[in-house]
Amino acid sequence: AAVSGFSAKDSLYLGTDYALNPATTAGANSADSLLELWLSEESGSALVTLESSLSGGSASPQETFAITLTGVALADIQLIEGVVSLV
């Protein structure tokens, strides 16, 4: 899914069930015991990738889905208590 026009007044609620994986590649360093999310950037847009199952990042094929924040740099977003917003 892609979100365009994401601005300072917007937020994306993901919930608190996800653990942030510090890897910059979705699926990297995935643990099978928790739901994970990855934050990365592709072609100048922030990418939020979430597992759809506990083993989603290490499954083949990966059981993940991505939300692209079109035109928003990774450095401009933050994740606090399950909410993605602009810094």
Side-chain angles (χ1 to χ4, degrees), residues 1-13:
V3 177
S4 58
F6 195 79
S7 67
K9 64 182 179 191
D10 296 318
S11 60
L12 179 64
Y13 179 71

Side-chain angles (χ1 to χ4, degrees), residues 11-20 35-39 48-51 65 67 78-85:
S11 60
L12 179 64
Y13 179 71
L14 304 174
T16 56
D17 292 340
Y18 290 95
L20 177 62
L35 286 171
E36 296 173 283
L37 70 89
W38 293 264
L39 300 176
V48 181
T49 305
L50 301 112
E51 287 185 313
F65 63 95
I67 301 167
Q78 61 186 351
L79 174 69
I80 299 175
E81 296 182 13
V83 177
V84 175
S85 60

Side-chain angles (χ1 to χ4, degrees), residues 35-79:
L35 286 171
E36 296 173 283
L37 70 89
W38 293 264
L39 300 176
S40 58
E41 188 170 334
E42 186 175 290
S43 302
S45 295
L47 193 63
V48 181
T49 305
L50 301 112
E51 287 185 313
S52 57
S53 70
L54 290 176
S55 59
S58 57
S60 181
Q62 288 185 351
E63 297 167 356
T64 61
F65 63 95
I67 301 167
T68 303
L69 302 177
T70 305
V72 177
L74 179 60
D76 294 337
I77 65 171
Q78 61 186 351
L79 174 69

